[in-house]
Amino acid sequence: MVISTSSAGAMESLHGLVDLRTAAQLLAAAAALYILIEHLSYHRKKGALPGPPLVVPFLGSAAHMVRDPARFWEVQAARASKSGAGLAADFLIGRFMVFIRDSELSHRVFANVRSDAFVLIGHPFGKKLFGDHNFIYLSGDDHKDLRRRMAPNFTPRAFATYAAIQQRVILSHLRRWLDRSAANGGKAMPIRVPCRQMNLDTSQTVFAGPYLTKEARERFEEDYNLFNVGLTALPVDLPGFAFRRARQSVPRLVRVLDRCARDSKARMRAGGEPECLVDYWMQETVREIDEAKEAGLLPPAHTDDGELGSFLFDMLFAAQDASTSSLCWAVSALDSHPDVLARVRAEVASLWSPESGEPITAEKIAEMKYTKAVALEVVRHRPPATLVPHIATKEFQLTEWYTIPKGAIVLPSVYESSFQGFPDPDAFDPERFFSEARREDVVYKRNFLAFGAGPHQCVGQRYALNHLVLFMALFVSVVDFRRDRTEGCDEPLYVPTIVPRDGCAVYLKQRCARFPSF
């Protein structure tokens, strides 16, 4: 039998079509099987926890989280609260997630940051972003040793050095704000971005001081902006995506900072006086390195320039956006509470005058007890970093009835804890920290988790509070301000810390007769 060429071609096409259809069916079956397995795994891990009954394959609720993070976390908190368990479950980019609202359960996570329980990651996909040589990923003796070596950074002498730097930088930026406001005809100016620029300038100068050139600062700011954008983007690690640009910016930032550590070591070894945080750190570090060398030993752990650059980056990251958040909320709260503003102004005026020509001394800062109470209430009322992401390295029995599965993203909410226990928690009330009779910072200490708890409690919390106190003291003394209040202006916006939705728009004009300069 003879088959024509055209018939043979038709049969080949038919076979090809059948093959494609078979492949498509197999692909569809594989996809359906993957979705089924993923859902079964999610429900097995979720157990009795409240959470969405169905999740989008692989992505889960990531799109909702990126699109409207405020609403997303409100839903998690509501689920955790209504269930009475203090816990809720969800699914993000192929990872099972446990949200913790209950303060005591959050303490259980904070207290168990170790290799066989939880790893602090700082971001749901932090390991990819921050890299491996990172302070927050250390635990056990390594972590204790590094915190011990950081101790000279936070002595009274060091804080006095930082305070002088902070005031110079803050005042230079406040001068710019006032000039910009005047140039714009006194129109309301959102201060979130100016606050962020001021904080970046402050933290760079306090932490790295003379070791950052003007060019290095400009490059640093560009890369830091890329990093911040990537923090709130979908974690797509492909060319052209914000997450990839953020991840690539970190090594460049670290290289700038490891040069600062190297230069500081050389200057401290030559007998220079500390002028910034890295100097206080390296002064003791070079002594330990030199002693080890004389004894014929290897240098102590975590004293390599590259590692130190990574640790400095962690500290800059922690100081940057969290402080921006607190400064914005402080301005908004002072405007909303004229009685609080009046008391802060009176306290500062009794200790310092803009016309004095001198900076506020460390002793005077310590006397600003009401202003510090306001700072504490700002941080309680609007904790800047609302969540502290961890990864469960192994199964962990969190309660009698629920075990967190290995690999889960675990998210203790310090925001939710701030509104538990405290009387009338929604009210902004500095008296809760100022009044000796109330002492709510002691009575409800377990719920005040804005700086974390346990071995990884924020090492720079005193620096952060001092910065907030200094900013408020200078701001209320040299600036008359009024909030541009519009509907929803104070709703939290995640960027990635929380800030007022309108960027904290304020009307500004100079208050003092002569602007301070020192």
Side-chain angles (χ1 to χ4, degrees):
M1 181 184 227
V2 178
I3 300 177
S4 69
T5 304
S6 59
S7 297
M11 290 183 70
E12 285 180 9
S13 298
L14 182 61
H15 282 303
L17 183 61
V18 170
D19 288 343
L20 284 174
R21 187 176 297 167
T22 302
Q25 289 171 343
L26 289 171
L27 187 62
L33 181 62
Y34 169 80
I35 293 170
L36 176 63
I37 291 172
E38 190 172 74
H39 270 78
L40 290 174
S41 173
Y42 163 72
H43 279 280
R44 177 180 59 80
K45 294 174 180 177
K46 184 170 82 72
L49 297 188
L54 297 173
V55 292
V56 177
F58 184 69
L59 284 177
S61 299
H64 181 194
M65 182 185 71
V66 172
R67 184 176 63 251
D68 189 357
R71 178 58 185 156
F72 177 78
W73 297 116
E74 283 174 8
V75 168
Q76 302 299 326
R79 285 174 179 157
S81 180
K82 287 177 183 176
S83 70
L87 302 169
D90 214 314
F91 192 74
L92 296 172
I93 315 291
R95 301 295 291 267
F96 179 70
M97 182 196 93
V98 178
F99 176 91
I100 303 179
R101 181 180 183 273
D102 181 83
S103 297
E104 291 305 317
L105 296 182
S106 292
H107 272 282
R108 287 210 69 195
V109 174
F110 292 140
N112 286 283
V113 177
R114 58 178 197 267
S115 59
D116 63 342
F118 298 104
V119 174
L120 175 64
I121 55 171
H123 183 276
F125 303 94
K127 272 243 175 184
K128 273 197 169 186
L129 272 177
F130 291 96
D132 292 328
H133 294 294
N134 196 285
F135 177 46
I136 61 176
Y137 301 144
L138 295 179
S139 60
D141 290 340
D142 264 359
H143 180 252
K144 289 178 184 176
D145 181 61
L146 185 56
R147 285 181 78 105
R148 175 192 61 78
R149 196 169 286 121
M150 286 180 175
N153 304 349
F154 305 110
T155 61
R157 182 185 170 209
F159 281 125
T161 301
Y162 307 156
I165 297 170
Q166 288 165 287
Q167 290 174 76
R168 288 199 303 270
V169 176
I170 290 169
L171 284 171
S172 70
H173 281 264
L174 292 182
R175 178 72 273 167
R176 290 177 214 170
W177 297 7
L178 290 167
D179 291 345
R180 192 181 309 166
S181 176
N184 289 335
K187 294 178 181 177
M189 181 178 83
I191 63 169
R192 180 183 76 82
V193 173
C195 272
R196 188 178 174 280
Q197 291 168 338
M198 180 184 72
N199 279 334
L200 186 57
D201 192 2
T202 307
S203 55
Q204 284 179 335
T205 310
V206 168
F207 292 3
Y211 306 112
L212 278 175
T213 64
K214 182 183 177 183
E215 294 75 16
R217 283 173 178 265
E218 290 171 355
R219 290 197 306 272
F220 196 98
E221 186 165 358
E222 290 173 9
D223 278 330
Y224 206 87
N225 284 333
L226 290 174
F227 178 76
N228 267 327
V229 171
L231 282 174
T232 53
L234 282 171
V236 180
D237 194 11
L238 294 172
F241 285 85
F243 187 86
R244 168 65 67 87
R245 289 192 291 269
R247 191 174 65 78
Q248 291 174 333
S249 72
V250 173
R252 295 193 295 267
L253 290 164
V254 169
R255 280 196 295 272
V256 171
L257 294 170
D258 72 34
R259 285 194 294 271
C260 295
R262 182 190 61 214
D263 293 345
S264 176
K265 282 178 180 177
R267 187 169 164 272
M268 292 300 99
R269 188 170 275 119
E273 283 296 312
E275 294 181 10
C276 59
L277 181 144
V278 72
D279 282 346
Y280 282 103
W281 191 349
M282 293 305 103
Q283 191 175 53
E284 182 65 16
T285 297
V286 294
R287 185 188 65 78
E288 291 190 20
I289 291 172
D290 292 346
E291 285 180 356
K293 185 177 180 180
E294 288 176 10
L297 302 174
L298 292 173
H302 311 307
T303 58
D304 173 76
D305 294 344
E307 281 190 278
L308 290 167
S310 292
F311 301 149
L312 275 170
F313 171 69
D314 298 343
M315 297 179 75
L316 275 163
F317 171 69
Q320 178 59 40
D321 289 294
S323 284
T324 298
S325 169
S326 294
L327 267 52
C328 289
W329 290 116
V331 170
S332 185
L334 289 169
D335 175 80
S336 301
H337 301 83
D339 56 327
V340 174
L341 173 60
R343 286 186 67 177
V344 171
R345 277 186 168 145
E347 180 177 73
V348 175
S350 71
L351 297 165
W352 176 79
S353 167
E355 284 77 26
S356 69
E358 297 292 334
I360 307 171
T361 64
E363 293 74 22
K364 298 295 185 186
I365 297 168
E367 291 182 56
M368 295 179 182
K369 298 187 183 301
Y370 184 75
T371 308
K372 183 180 179 182
V374 175
L376 286 167
E377 179 65 346
V378 166
V379 173
R380 182 205 68 86
H381 195 250
R382 290 292 181 266
T386 59
L387 299 153
V388 187
H390 294 70
I391 293 284
T393 58
K394 292 186 178 179
E395 287 190 351
F396 186 87
Q397 188 168 348
L398 188 66
T399 71
E400 290 183 359
W401 55 271
Y402 186 72
T403 297
I404 294 177
K406 178 181 177 180
I409 299 174
V410 183
L411 295 161
S413 173
V414 301
Y415 186 91
E416 290 298 316
S417 289
S418 292
F419 294 88
Q420 296 172 34
F422 293 96
D424 195 11
D426 291 321
F428 183 85
D429 181 13
E431 282 293 325
R432 68 175 82 247
F433 296 114
F434 183 72
S435 167
E436 283 295 322
R438 291 171 63 175
R439 299 188 69 197
E440 291 183 22
D441 55 329
V442 176
V443 178
Y444 303 108
K445 184 179 180 180
R446 300 285 290 179
N447 296 322
F448 188 75
L449 293 174
F451 295 106
H456 277 260
Q457 188 174 40
C458 177
V459 70
Q461 60 180 293
R462 187 178 164 194
Y463 172 82
L465 287 170
N466 278 1
H467 186 61
L468 183 51
V469 167
L470 273 172
F471 172 80
M472 287 192 291
L474 295 172
F475 185 73
V476 303
S477 299
V478 305
V479 176
D480 270 324
F481 64 99
R482 176 171 60 85
R483 188 87 160 83
D484 182 22
R485 298 217 163 265
T486 55
E487 186 178 353
C489 66
D490 276 341
E491 291 178 2
L493 178 70
Y494 286 71
V495 289
T497 53
I498 56 169
V499 295
R501 185 165 292 277
D502 71 337
C504 197
V506 289
Y507 298 94
L508 304 170
K509 64 178 181 179
Q510 186 168 316
R511 175 181 176 82
C512 55
R514 184 166 62 90
F515 200 85
S517 177
F518 40 80

